[in-house]
Amino acid sequence: MKEHESLQVRDSDDPTTTVVQAPKRSAGGLGALVSSMRHLKSDPGLLRGARSLLTINQPGGFDCPGCAWPEPTAARPMAEFCENGVKAVAWETSKKRVGASFFAEHSVASLREQSEYWLGLQGRLCEPMFLEQGDTHYRPISWENAFALIGSELNALTSPDEASFYTSGRTSNEAAFLYQLFVREFGTNNLPDCSNMCHESSGTALKESIGVGKGTVSLDDFAIADAIFVIGQNPGTNHPRMLTTLQEAAERGCKIVSINPLPEAALLSFEHPQQPLGLMGHGTPISSLFLPVKVGGDAALFKGIAKAILEREERNPGTVLDHTFIARHTVGFSELEAQLRTLDWKALCDDSGIPRESIEAAADIAIKARHTIACWAMGLTQHENAVAIIQDVVNFLLLRGNLGRPGAGVCPVRGHSNVQGDRTMGIYEKMPDVFLSALERRFGFAVPRAHGLDTVDTIAAMQRGQVKVLVAMGGNFVSATPDTDAVQSALAQCRLTVQVSTKLNRAHAFTGQRALILPCLGRTERDRQDGDEQFVTVEDSMSVVHASRGHLEPASSLLRSEPAIVAGIATATLGERTRIPWNTLVLNYDRIRDHIAAVVPGFQNFNERVRVPTGFVLPNAARDRRWDTASGRAQFTVSELGSIERQPDQLLLTTLRSHDQYNTTIYGLDDRYRGISGGRKVVFMNAADIAARGLANGDLVDLTSHFRGKQRTVQRWKIVEYSIPQGCAAAYFPEANPLVPLESVAKKSNTPTSKAILITIRPVAV
Ligand SMILES: Nc1nc2c(c(=O)[nH]1)N[C@H]1C(S)=C(S)[C@@H](COP(=O)(O)OP(=O)(O)OC[C@H]3O[C@@H](n4cnc5c(=O)[nH]c(N)nc54)[C@H](O)[C@@H]3O)O[C@H]1N2
Ligand SMILES: Nc1nc2c(c(=O)[nH]1)N[C@H]1C(S)=C(S)[C@@H](COP(=O)(O)OP(=O)(O)OC[C@H]3O[C@@H](n4cnc5c(=O)[nH]c(N)nc54)[C@H](O)[C@@H]3O)O[C@H]1N2
Ligand SMILES: [Mo]
């Protein structure tokens, strides 16, 4: 695409020009290759991107910024292919630049009119920019002045708790460790992160149930499993490399059960783009059983599967449950059994939308399997009762001892490539005391102990005027958060907002009274400190820690690494108050790793062990059947059915990702597998629900959400008739975020309920 062409993309979302075709029945294949090549060619970054792809996920190369699915540890003859990895790399390696002249030309007001898609197309941010209160345009600022400004705003606060420090999940372990260290020495635990909107419910549920807030399986377990449940997850789009694992499993006869309101293409069949057979169009069927659960119906479904398992045990005592495991390793079985007995099959089927025979079929697969793994993602975590739903999945596994042995366990499939590592490094508003004490011992300052604010609470505190400065290490605080309009107004009340970013997004246009953009190096780029090349480390979804090293020249000589930016902010803010030699630490990241080794469990000899090309695995007590829970055992959990009450005219809306986006980064306007092209303002609905409202496929409608008497509306969306259970609807994140109420959150995890929003729809007034 030529420079000026991209500038013409303005209203990328005219629903009248959106084209709808039949959804695909298979993922991957030639289409994936063609689409990847198109993305590499779409930007003059082609060569930069193509060259860097050769080192993606290779020892000595960089960790793919696409997702947190692990790399196979065996010899890797070539990069594991992933269409979305290609898009992520092409996006970062863009040759276009957004610098002083761009900002002189485009006022902040004009940037607000642009879509995320357009903003992302403009290229890489390449110098620090400052927006002074009352100004219409950003202007350049030196790094030193930017740091001084942050320092003076932070030091002017009445309390450190008036600032909040957000992290998105691409931040390396080294940057994350330094960042939380600075924030805690500054004096607060206000460390919200994207995880608060993502897998927080998984962490909370698993910590209570099995004592570890992370997954317990490794890739090797997938090679042994004979049943894999893929729940509320769309791996074809969001974790494409997982499809190779699922394909191998399916081919050796492992049963895959998919639980999803939408028949996602990859859950049906997969054609490996790197295998000639795939190119010929012979896909591997993936799911043995597909259960089109109602949105929010997973609790009922898993209670149903557990009930069916118990009924089989009653009929054939001693043959179905793992009694030895239950007796030795768990508590709460009899309470669960008693509750499941009282639950009525009709209610379970109505709530889940799944007929009894299909629930029995899922139980059948689980009973025949010796080794079962449950994988899940956002389809489970973003509900009001998400924590309980995930605990229902854990109950299901515990019944047959499917935890802490090879081929079995839990696999919350993480999103951002280092979101799990950031947590391990202390990016958490409620970090446990043992960590805080270790930090205190190592660095000798009084570490604050009061819990800090998470993402939703940070926004609420901004609304009340109690948070006045927001610093964001990556991410898009405006579009990724719920309740877009409320967040924009909350941010506008802040004294200062700071975004450390690689590319432009709407968080740079909706700011505090003063705003800074600090441009940083991306994953693909060389990081030199003091002339020496540095590498960083990340932790994947399966707790493997390994190095990541970029090989491209930075997009601009003015970029700084995230650790260097933290050091700059820390020095300018803490001044004489700190004894930590920030600037010396960032000259050699080994020094940061030595501190990590001393503070974070499992990182002994970090510098030595991370130099092994495949990295090392962090310890996981639950994997060894040691249960760090309140009772010292794995916990069966009893919870209510949690039915969602819906008025007859309402639909339960779930928000999801298209095949052409990375969270709020929009790569293009197509959703290839679901048959949508040229637009994103679409609402997927069941034919019967469309007809019941006197509407037709393709009609333009307004969507209104309803929560505690308050209504929120988005306008001019196109109806797409789709295979989705009656009473449910789906639309894309982040366009639908204005509908998600800030106060509508999951119990215990405080995660926005982005997968369950009650809406009504009405035709657009003409
Ligand atoms: N290419 C690409 N890769 C990504 C991302 C991206 O945006 N683009 N994002 C990354 C991040 S941060 C994350 S967290 C992951 C997200 O990965 P996913 O969780 O796969 O992403 P979502 O699109 O939110 O999809 C959730 C799936 O859940 C289904 N679903 C919706 N509601 C329900 C429900 O009530 N019950 C059940 N059982 N299913 C439901 C949807 O139909 C959809 O298939 O992907 C990561 N990888
Ligand atoms: N309605 C709805 N809302 C959701 C979700 C949903 O399913 N539905 N999903 C939620 C989930 S799972 C998540 S994880 C959040 C995502 O929330 P965030 O992580 O905040 O959002 P992203 O869109 O991933 O952030 C993209 C921006 O990060 C910056 N960036 C990219 N790479 C780098 C880097 O290497 N360093 C730095 N410093 N910056 C970089 C770029 O400027 C880019 O514009 O959104 C949540 N919001
Ligand atoms: Mo996420």
Side-chain angles (χ1 to χ4, degrees):
M1 189 177 295
K2 289 192 206 88
E3 204 96 354
H4 63 270
E5 269 175 359
S6 66
L7 298 177
Q8 287 163 4
V9 185
R10 215 187 143 78
D11 185 10
S12 50
D13 266 328
D14 179 1
T16 55
T17 56
T18 305
V19 177
V20 181
Q21 288 166 312
K24 296 263 183 303
R25 308 276 308 162
S26 178
L30 194 55
L33 275 182
V34 171
S35 161
S36 322
M37 289 322 291
R38 201 154 41 82
H39 275 270
L40 277 176
K41 282 204 203 116
S42 68
D43 189 286
L46 171 64
L47 250 186
R48 272 166 67 84
R51 221 180 317 126
S52 56
L53 279 173
L54 298 175
T55 63
I56 199 167
N57 289 339
Q58 293 291 306
F62 66 96
D63 180 63
C64 178
C67 74
W69 189 256
E71 288 80 47
T73 43
R76 283 171 271 182
M78 63 193 295
E80 228 188 335
F81 175 85
C82 163
E83 178 187 352
N84 281 313
V86 172
K87 291 179 190 170
V89 171
W91 184 82
E92 183 173 298
T93 56
S94 163
K95 275 201 164 169
K96 288 190 266 172
R97 298 289 175 263
V98 172
S101 58
F102 174 91
F103 286 105
E105 196 180 320
H106 299 275
S107 68
V108 174
S110 73
L111 295 179
R112 288 180 171 205
E113 299 298 310
Q114 300 293 356
S115 64
E116 287 290 356
Y117 178 47
W118 185 91
L119 292 170
L121 281 173
Q122 304 315 306
R124 282 287 296 276
L125 292 160
C126 59
E127 59 186 303
M129 301 298 303
F130 174 48
L131 182 68
E132 178 56 288
Q133 184 165 10
D135 275 5
T136 55
H137 291 70
Y138 277 95
R139 55 177 134 109
I141 184 172
S142 70
W143 279 103
E144 295 327 306
N145 288 343
F147 294 146
L149 192 129
I150 298 171
S152 73
E153 287 285 1
L154 287 177
N155 288 324
L157 298 173
T158 316
S159 145
D161 292 331
E162 290 181 350
S164 194
F165 300 84
Y166 178 75
T167 310
S168 167
R170 268 190 199 171
T171 298
S172 66
N173 289 334
E174 290 72 10
F177 184 81
L178 273 198
Y179 187 46
Q180 62 82 35
L181 181 64
F182 156 64
V183 171
R184 294 195 161 106
E185 188 169 25
F186 173 63
T188 181
N189 281 311
N190 288 348
L191 282 157
D193 68 351
C194 67
S195 197
N196 297 145
M197 302 182 274
C198 183
H199 266 296
E200 194 69 65
S201 306
S202 307
T204 308
L206 293 175
K207 183 79 187 87
E208 279 183 6
S209 297
I210 61 167
V212 176
K214 299 181 181 182
T216 63
V217 295
S218 72
L219 270 189
D220 296 340
D221 293 312
F222 281 83
I224 304 172
D226 28 37
I228 302 172
F229 282 63
V230 181
I231 319 156
Q233 195 204 338
N234 181 17
T237 286
N238 299 312
H239 306 91
R241 287 180 302 111
M242 179 178 178
L243 294 184
T244 316
T245 307
L246 292 180
Q247 182 188 34
E248 283 162 7
E251 281 174 354
R252 62 176 175 76
C254 170
K255 301 280 184 231
I256 296 172
V257 180
S258 298
I259 299 174
N260 199 307
L262 271 59
E264 306 286 23
L267 300 176
L268 306 177
S269 159
F270 174 55
E271 301 166 41
H272 200 302
Q274 275 163 314
Q275 289 166 357
L277 253 173
L279 291 181
M280 311 282 284
H282 301 288
T284 308
I286 296 292
S287 299
S288 310
L289 180 65
F290 171 65
L291 303 177
V293 69
K294 279 188 191 166
V295 169
D298 304 270
L301 175 59
F302 274 89
K303 284 177 164 61
I305 298 176
K307 187 178 170 78
I309 292 176
L310 288 179
E311 290 179 356
R312 304 285 177 96
E313 170 74 19
E314 264 170 42
R315 292 203 289 275
N316 299 291
T319 63
V320 176
L321 301 180
D322 185 339
H323 291 283
T324 319
F325 174 82
I326 293 174
R328 192 177 298 163
H329 288 286
T330 70
V331 288
F333 173 71
S334 43
E335 289 85 343
L336 178 73
E337 191 185 28
Q339 188 221 18
L340 290 177
R341 242 185 253 284
T342 65
L343 292 179
D344 167 47
W345 271 112
K346 181 168 183 320
L348 294 172
C349 296
D350 286 352
D351 254 37
S352 62
I354 303 296
R356 172 92 181 257
E357 313 80 79
S358 302
I359 298 182
E360 297 283 353
D364 223 38
I365 290 178
I367 291 168
K368 288 198 180 116
R370 286 269 306 117
H371 314 275
T372 301
I373 293 176
C375 307
W376 69 87
M378 297 303 102
L380 294 195
T381 63
Q382 300 171 334
H383 288 282
E384 190 186 346
N385 62 337
V387 171
I389 295 176
I390 293 161
Q391 290 176 332
D392 285 324
V393 175
V394 174
N395 287 344
F396 155 71
L397 291 174
L398 291 176
L399 287 176
R400 291 183 39 81
N402 277 309
L403 261 160
R405 63 179 167 89
V410 286
C411 180
V413 185
R414 302 279 161 178
H416 267 301
S417 50
N418 198 38
V419 61
Q420 188 162 315
D422 290 346
R423 268 296 159 90
T424 308
M425 292 299 118
I427 302 290
Y428 186 24
E429 74 284 353
K430 295 188 289 218
M431 211 55 195
D433 263 334
V434 281
F435 179 93
L436 301 178
S437 300
L439 207 60
E440 200 160 86
R441 277 197 303 278
R442 179 76 181 177
F443 295 98
F445 62 84
V447 174
R449 300 293 169 132
H451 286 173
L453 299 171
D454 63 12
T455 300
V456 164
D457 289 344
T458 291
I459 298 165
M462 284 176 185
Q463 288 177 326
R464 294 191 303 268
Q466 287 167 352
V467 160
K468 299 179 173 129
V469 175
L470 175 78
V471 179
M473 187 57 69
N476 184 340
F477 202 83
V478 168
S479 294
T481 46
D483 224 340
T484 316
D485 298 336
V487 173
Q488 288 170 0
S489 328
L491 282 166
Q493 294 191 57
C494 287
R495 275 291 300 152
L496 172 71
T497 52
V498 181
Q499 293 283 333
V500 179
S501 310
T502 51
K503 282 183 112 178
L504 208 53
N505 65 46
R506 285 170 73 77
H508 305 114
F510 293 89
T511 66
Q513 289 150 14
R514 309 172 96 187
L516 282 166
I517 300 175
L518 305 181
C520 67
L521 294 173
R523 278 280 168 80
T524 54
E525 291 167 326
R526 252 182 245 280
D527 182 351
R528 287 195 197 84
Q529 303 293 334
D530 203 16
D532 284 338
E533 246 178 71
Q534 308 294 320
F535 67 88
V536 293
T537 64
V538 293
E539 174 186 342
D540 66 31
S541 221
M542 298 183 190
S543 304
V544 180
V545 178
H546 62 90
S548 173
R549 192 190 288 270
H551 290 289
L552 297 177
E553 272 312 303
S556 145
S557 60
L558 287 173
L559 301 186
R560 292 208 181 170
S561 75
E562 290 182 353
I565 292 171
V566 174
I569 298 175
T571 314
T573 307
L574 302 172
E576 301 285 293
R577 277 180 280 159
T578 182
R579 283 185 293 156
I580 298 168
W582 298 94
N583 291 320
T584 320
L585 281 184
V586 294
L587 292 183
N588 180 347
Y589 296 174
D590 278 357
R591 295 175 191 153
I592 307 174
R593 283 187 285 269
D594 282 340
H595 285 303
I596 294 173
V599 171
V600 189
F603 283 82
Q604 306 86 333
N605 302 327
F606 189 9
N607 271 310
E608 195 182 315
R609 286 156 77 211
V610 82
R611 283 176 162 82
V612 175
T614 48
F616 61 93
V617 187
L618 290 174
N620 182 310
R623 200 178 155 77
D624 304 328
R625 295 199 163 173
R626 285 180 291 113
W627 316 103
D628 187 13
T629 56
S631 62
R633 296 198 177 188
Q635 181 78 47
F636 280 103
T637 317
V638 176
S639 57
E640 297 302 309
L641 203 48
S643 318
I644 300 173
E645 262 186 55
R646 182 170 58 81
Q647 303 301 317
D649 63 334
Q650 293 179 333
L651 297 172
L652 194 60
L653 177 83
T654 187
T655 57
L656 23 96
R657 291 155 170 80
S658 82
H659 196 62
D660 244 0
Q661 75 183 82
Y662 194 89
N663 298 338
T664 69
T665 295
I666 311 302
Y667 300 130
L669 301 176
D670 302 344
D671 192 2
R672 194 158 54 82
Y673 295 149
R674 298 196 189 107
I676 309 296
S677 49
R680 297 177 46 86
K681 285 190 186 168
V682 293
V683 54
F684 298 97
M685 287 173 67
N686 180 291
D689 288 326
I690 301 174
R693 284 161 181 75
L695 296 164
N697 188 21
D699 278 0
L700 293 188
V701 289
D702 295 343
L703 314 179
T704 301
S705 69
H706 303 264
F707 188 75
R708 293 187 190 154
K710 195 170 164 193
Q711 306 191 344
R712 295 163 172 83
T713 298
V714 294
Q715 288 169 333
R716 283 175 64 78
W717 288 49
K718 186 175 192 145
I719 294 182
V720 173
E721 184 185 314
Y722 207 79
S723 168
I724 183 170
Q726 233 175 304
C728 306
Y732 296 129
F733 146 60
E735 286 78 1
N737 285 37
L739 296 174
V740 187
L742 185 66
E743 304 78 24
S744 177
V745 290
K747 290 178 204 144
K748 294 187 187 171
S749 66
N750 214 26
T751 296
T753 61
S754 309
K755 294 284 187 279
I757 310 152
L758 288 170
I759 60 160
T760 50
I761 67 168
R762 58 163 185 266
V764 166
V766 269

